[in-house]
Amino acid sequence: MSRFHQRRDFLRHGAALGGLAATPWGLNLAHLGQAVAQTTTSDYKALVCIFLSGGNDAHNTVIPTDAVSWRCYQGTRDPALRAALAQTQADATASTSSLALPQSSLLGITHANKAGLNTGRTFALNPQLKQIKQIYASGKAAIVANVGPLIRPTAKYEALTPSFPLPAKLYSHNDQTSTWQSFQTEGATGGWGGRFMDSLGVSNGNGMFSAVGVGAPAVWLAGNAVIPYQIGNAGVFTLGGETGSILGSAALYQGVRTAAGLAASNDPFAQDYARVINRAISAETILKAALPASSMAPWGTAGVTAQATDPLLKYTNPNTQVSAFNPLAAQLQLVARMIAARNDSRIGAKRQVFMVQLGGFDTHSNQMTQHADLLAKLDHAIGYFYNVLGNMPGSVNMRSQVTTFTASEFGRALLNNGDGTDHGWGGHHFVIGDAVKGADVYGAYPDFRAFDGEGDFYSQDLLAGGILLPQISLDQYVYTLGRWMGVADVNLKASCPNLANFDASSHNIGFLG
């Protein structure tokens, strides 16, 4: 089948899922939407992915504080102390500024150590993560340590063996972003979030809103049948904007509307065009009627219609102590409003996936200032969203039905490059929600030991430069999230291409009930 015909069939199927085609499948979904509206909402579940674009420095997000680990962390990141760890002096003065957080500033946490993998270890969070710490301490957030893409379990000596199978194009932003979202390098057309909804979307009255992205598009949301719905940072995309015009022309806007409404053409391009435009018009019409106002509590402040001026969407920049608009919180406000609209008969959502993104994590320089600000935004946004979910209208606790998790294309190297850090591999991630078995660190936190002064570490978990060799595979992370969502095992295994290479007993990491 040609690429052209594949695209045509994909769009045709997507239009049917969106309720835009008068087919038996489309009619069945329309009837299902009415049924969903009449049944209990307690079965609703959603995954919300917060993608930290650029590669978050996990080493300064979750910090080991036991004596041996702290000595390695501090000595590696602080040039003034590097010589104390190095067996030679060659690398002792290579860096010019410290990337080691002061121990007195860290937010200490305890961990249940249910799996017994972190005995004798102590941990702390970055000082900007105050709200995440509170949620973690309440047992509603967990840390998943050292996650990354793997083909199979990989020991350090194997990772250094040229013939050993490793994920393609490690350390490349575009390729690893795509790998995290789709298990394929750049050029992938579908991701595991969308594939989850391929199997779960039949529960939804209107498949158009099964996979929703706020702001930048993401391959994670696209399935084989499910087409992502993209919503703007400030609200619903409208075909003609607020003025009912395209490129300033009302006539052009009307012409587009007219062309989309013409009888079916034999021209496949015209058919695709009409489907896309009609889908956009249909979504715009539905959401304008169903989406609650941004100024409504609990997600907004009464009387404040502009996101940029809503005090709930403002955080404090730790570098300037100035209150500023938080774009990530604004994205999550839209997610909350979409969740609030789930029971509208025109939407009828029982399962949904959402993606929001925060960029700027490629901290090769000016890391201490830049990273502090980014984590302050992340912390405020997660705290805001968790509070909103706990106060949503209705009798159902949405905190137990919405699980939020972080992802990033890679972690960063432990070694200080002068004023920042270089690309890494594994990283640590947060999972938040009342369904989470929290207050624990899942997976063995990496072993920190001294390095040889040339950038090589004695630890089996640290490659050259202090790059984390993942011990939990992306497949296992994804599998655990999918099990909670209710994705059938056969579909989970199809979505996680490397899962069969890992022992079946380890597929479910266990951080979700």
Side-chain angles (χ1 to χ4, degrees):
M1 181 181 292
S2 71
R3 182 183 299 272
F4 169 77
H5 285 94
Q6 287 176 330
R7 171 173 170 75
R8 187 177 65 183
D9 290 343
F10 176 76
L11 286 170
R12 179 181 295 115
H13 198 176
L17 283 173
L20 305 180
T23 62
W25 177 238
L27 291 173
N28 286 339
L29 285 178
H31 289 306
L32 182 58
Q34 299 298 323
V36 168
Q38 298 170 10
T39 59
T40 178
T41 60
S42 62
D43 185 42
Y44 177 84
K45 286 186 178 180
L47 285 177
V48 179
C49 174
I50 300 178
F51 200 87
L52 309 178
S53 297
N56 177 45
D57 179 28
H59 294 300
N60 269 17
T61 302
V62 182
I63 303 96
T65 56
D66 52 277
V68 173
S69 300
W70 178 256
R71 187 167 178 263
C72 179
Y73 162 82
Q74 189 179 34
T76 305
R77 295 215 141 184
D78 187 341
L81 300 175
R82 182 167 297 184
L85 284 179
Q87 291 182 348
T88 72
Q89 301 299 310
D91 198 42
T93 58
S95 299
T96 59
S97 62
S98 176
L99 300 183
L101 294 162
Q103 191 167 19
S104 60
S105 73
L106 301 181
L107 306 176
I109 58 173
T110 60
H111 59 287
N113 197 29
K114 289 188 287 287
L117 298 175
N118 293 301
T119 301
R121 308 297 299 276
T122 59
F123 308 112
L125 300 181
N126 186 287
Q128 304 307 323
L129 302 179
K130 296 178 180 65
Q131 296 191 63
I132 291 177
K133 179 194 173 179
Q134 290 180 358
I135 301 171
Y136 176 93
S138 73
K140 307 304 181 185
I143 295 164
V144 186
N146 201 9
V147 187
L150 292 168
I151 304 299
R152 62 182 64 169
T154 304
K156 185 173 182 176
Y157 78 91
E158 292 171 323
L160 300 176
T161 302
S163 61
F164 191 83
L166 298 178
K169 299 183 178 179
L170 288 170
Y171 318 120
S172 159
H173 283 293
N174 291 350
D175 291 295
Q176 290 309 300
T177 294
S178 182
T179 296
W180 261 85
Q181 296 186 23
S182 71
F183 291 101
Q184 299 176 51
T185 53
E186 188 176 19
T189 57
W192 54 269
R195 289 193 288 271
F196 281 3
M197 294 314 303
D198 281 338
S199 61
L200 296 172
V202 69
S203 300
N204 292 338
N206 191 336
M208 193 187 324
F209 305 110
S210 293
V212 180
V214 182
V219 72
W220 181 71
L221 296 163
N224 295 319
V226 167
I227 300 175
Y229 178 73
Q230 199 70 31
I231 191 167
N233 285 331
V236 182
F237 283 125
T238 56
L239 183 62
E242 296 300 321
T243 61
S245 64
I246 297 176
L247 299 177
S249 170
L252 179 57
Y253 169 62
Q254 190 55 50
V256 170
R257 298 279 305 236
T258 300
L262 294 176
S265 167
N266 290 327
D267 182 348
F269 287 103
Q271 292 173 359
D272 285 355
Y273 167 82
R275 287 191 183 92
V276 170
I277 296 300
N278 281 321
R279 184 176 190 265
I281 293 171
S282 176
E284 174 186 337
T285 301
I286 290 170
L287 288 184
K288 278 189 170 181
L291 202 63
S294 62
S295 59
M296 291 177 57
W299 47 80
T301 301
V304 180
T305 57
Q307 285 183 320
T309 59
D310 192 329
L312 289 176
L313 302 182
K314 290 186 177 182
Y315 81 111
T316 299
N317 184 318
N319 304 307
T320 64
Q321 297 305 309
V322 173
S323 177
F325 172 67
N326 186 350
L328 182 60
Q331 292 176 57
L332 288 171
Q333 184 192 64
L334 278 166
V335 172
R337 292 166 63 199
M338 288 290 294
I339 291 171
R342 70 193 182 280
N343 293 327
D344 188 287
S345 61
R346 291 158 292 194
I347 296 177
K350 303 278 279 183
R351 294 288 186 276
Q352 289 179 293
V353 293
F354 298 91
M355 175 171 273
V356 298
Q357 300 189 54
L358 179 63
F361 285 88
D362 194 19
T363 51
H364 289 282
S365 61
N366 194 31
Q367 170 158 319
M368 294 299 276
T369 299
Q370 187 175 344
H371 196 237
D373 185 47
L374 290 167
L375 291 188
K377 289 176 181 174
L378 176 66
D379 185 66
H380 166 259
I382 285 177
Y384 160 82
F385 189 56
Y386 188 73
N387 181 66
V388 167
L389 291 174
N391 291 281
M392 292 278 274
S395 59
V396 179
N397 176 19
M398 297 311 298
R399 286 176 175 171
S400 66
Q401 296 181 266
V402 178
T403 294
T404 304
F405 66 97
T406 62
S408 189
E409 61 261 45
F410 39 64
R412 306 193 75 80
L414 180 61
L415 202 63
N416 184 337
N417 73 5
D419 191 30
T421 53
D422 296 323
H423 297 178
W425 186 354
H428 315 314
H429 291 283
F430 297 110
V431 186
I432 302 104
D434 283 11
V436 174
K437 298 176 181 177
D440 208 354
V441 176
Y442 287 82
Y445 192 93
D447 175 28
F448 277 30
R449 296 185 190 177
F451 67 107
D452 64 0
E454 303 296 335
D456 289 323
F457 289 76
Y458 299 121
S459 167
Q460 294 301 302
D461 298 327
L462 293 168
L463 301 176
I467 291 172
L468 287 182
L469 172 60
Q471 295 303 308
I472 291 179
S473 74
L474 177 61
D475 296 73
Q476 292 164 301
Y477 192 50
V478 171
Y479 181 89
T480 306
L481 293 166
R483 288 280 292 181
W484 176 77
M485 277 287 279
V487 180
D489 207 60
V490 63
N491 294 324
L492 277 174
K493 290 176 179 176
S495 296
C496 303
N498 307 300
L499 194 66
N501 297 329
F502 295 82
D503 187 272
S505 65
S506 70
H507 290 177
N508 187 345
I509 303 170
F511 55 77
L512 279 166

